[in-house]
Amino acid sequence: MENLKELLKNRRSIRKYTEDSISPENVKEILEAALMSPTSKRSLCWEFVVIENPEQLEKLSHCKAQGAKPIAGAKLAIVILADPSKSDVWIEDASIAAILIQLQAEDLGIGSCWIQIRNRLTENGQSAEDYVREMLGIPYGMEVLSIITLGHKNEEKKPFDPDKAQWEKVHIEHW
């Protein structure tokens, strides 16, 4: 991308991916973006689980009742975790890391989608967090925020139109 504004306009949630794999160099760049993300008081409370195995991705796609199917078609998924004992703002810290993953992916021409896990349920009513925790052997005490799916885009979406920005949601000095 030429600049941040173009990157922000072009980053859209991509749920359909080609069969092409993501190069190890691109995976490294994406993970570096996450590891460079800021955290409150430099707590570094986040951690990441990278899943590339197609069978694991398929199983992971059943982690919640709706909205997780793109995981099965992804070439890679990154589970975003955090340790709340290290930061009272772990949700914010992990969210920043997740969006930086998505922005770095877009900058590389790779599609991504945020799959919300925290406060979601599987089809049988189990906590999506517990499903992911059990499947991946994540220790208790670590909280699962989301899963970012990644892959080469197999769908086109129009860039965000800045003319459609909802400026009425911006308040200056008071409500």
Side-chain angles (χ1 to χ4, degrees), residues 36-125:
M36 289 190 286
S37 69
T39 57
S40 176
K41 302 175 187 172
R42 202 63 186 143
S43 66
L44 306 176
C45 63
W46 32 241
E47 296 204 24
F48 311 97
V49 178
V50 179
I51 310 294
E52 291 182 282
N53 180 300
E55 292 173 6
Q56 288 285 81
L57 291 166
E58 170 60 33
K59 187 175 177 186
L60 199 55
S61 75
H62 300 282
C63 65
K64 62 183 202 167
Q66 296 178 351
K69 298 306 176 224
I71 298 170
K75 294 314 276 181
L76 178 91
I78 302 174
V79 181
I80 312 296
L81 316 159
D83 183 346
S85 72
K86 291 185 178 179
S87 177
D88 63 332
V89 291
W90 69 269
I91 295 169
E92 293 84 348
D93 290 346
S95 296
I96 293 166
I99 194 61
L100 289 181
I101 286 169
Q102 291 192 282
L103 290 173
Q104 181 62 68
E106 181 62 37
D107 191 51
L108 296 168
I110 296 168
S112 69
C113 187
W114 177 302
I115 309 293
Q116 179 68 20
I117 299 300
R118 189 177 145 277
N119 292 335
R120 298 297 186 262
L121 300 173
T122 64
E123 284 186 356
N124 66 9

Side-chain angles (χ1 to χ4, degrees), residues 98-166:
I99 194 61
L100 289 181
I101 286 169
Q102 291 192 282
L103 290 173
Q104 181 62 68
E106 181 62 37
D107 191 51
L108 296 168
I110 296 168
S112 69
C113 187
W114 177 302
I115 309 293
Q116 179 68 20
I117 299 300
R118 189 177 145 277
N119 292 335
R120 298 297 186 262
L121 300 173
T122 64
E123 284 186 356
N124 66 9
Q126 178 187 17
S127 157
E129 289 179 80
D130 287 343
Y131 180 96
V132 173
R133 179 179 289 110
E134 290 168 14
M135 183 184 151
L136 301 177
I138 297 167
Y140 284 95
M142 293 299 294
E143 298 293 330
V144 181
L145 175 71
S146 63
I147 298 170
I148 305 299
T149 61
L150 297 155
H152 292 283
K153 300 173 187 179
N154 199 16
E155 64 179 321
E156 291 295 322
K157 294 198 173 178
K158 292 181 183 177
F160 179 79
D161 181 354
D163 292 335
K164 293 184 179 179
Q166 296 180 348

